[in-house]
Amino acid sequence: QVQLAESGGGLVQPGGSLRLSCTASGRSNAMAWFRQAPGKEREFVAALRWSDANTFYASSVKGRFTISREKGKNTVYLNLNSLKPEDTAVYYCAAISSSRPIMSTMTSAQGYEHWGQGTEVAVSS
């Protein structure tokens, strides 16, 4: 049973940057970030497969956001650059620990077993 803890959210101006972190209480096969904006569905943002550190991104954030890992701490980070108002959302960390992570599983919320409580990112002037 993996527990996740996110941090790093806050209020930033358009064009600014943030770094989110997520630490797991145990090992995971994959870790990811999802986000949910007010009145919208939760959507995939980025994922990292632990075995080979391969990364996957939603088209809306590719080139602006970067997911990375710190192996010794069971931690993943999300660097958010060139932030836009439409990036405003609660960002959730998720993890897969008991199944083989494949692309279709890693990019869908239904594929994740464990979820953090979320950290809010607000992009506004």
Side-chain angles (χ1 to χ4, degrees):
Q1 297 181 353
V2 175
Q3 294 179 326
L4 305 174
E6 308 110 318
S7 64
L11 175 64
V12 297
Q13 295 182 334
S17 300
L18 283 174
R19 190 185 194 190
L20 308 182
S21 65
C22 175
T23 299
S25 62
R27 294 181 180 179
S28 300
N29 295 328
M31 296 180 70
W33 291 95
F34 290 77
R35 68 185 182 186
Q36 188 165 20
K40 297 185 178 180
E41 294 184 356
R42 188 170 300 187
E43 66 174 349
F44 169 75
V45 176
L48 184 150
R49 185 162 55 208
W50 208 261
S51 61
D52 56 7
N54 277 5
T55 57
F56 306 86
Y57 296 93
S59 60
S60 60
V61 305
K62 191 173 184 179
R64 298 189 298 121
F65 295 2
T66 302
I67 187 170
S68 60
R69 70 176 180 179
E70 189 169 348
K71 189 185 300 183
K73 293 184 177 180
N74 294 322
T75 297
V76 293
Y77 302 95
L78 185 69
N79 290 301
L80 300 79
N81 300 311
S82 301
L83 283 163
K84 306 174 181 179
E86 51 262 44
D87 294 319
T88 296
V90 176
Y91 284 70
Y92 296 92
C93 182
I96 301 169
S97 62
S98 62
S99 63
R100 178 173 175 265
I102 59 176
M103 184 180 295
S104 60
T105 301
M106 294 178 64
T107 58
S108 172
Q110 286 70 35
Y112 288 83
E113 305 168 79
H114 313 290
W115 292 86
Q117 295 300 307
T119 184
E120 186 173 1
V121 173
V123 184
S124 179
S125 300

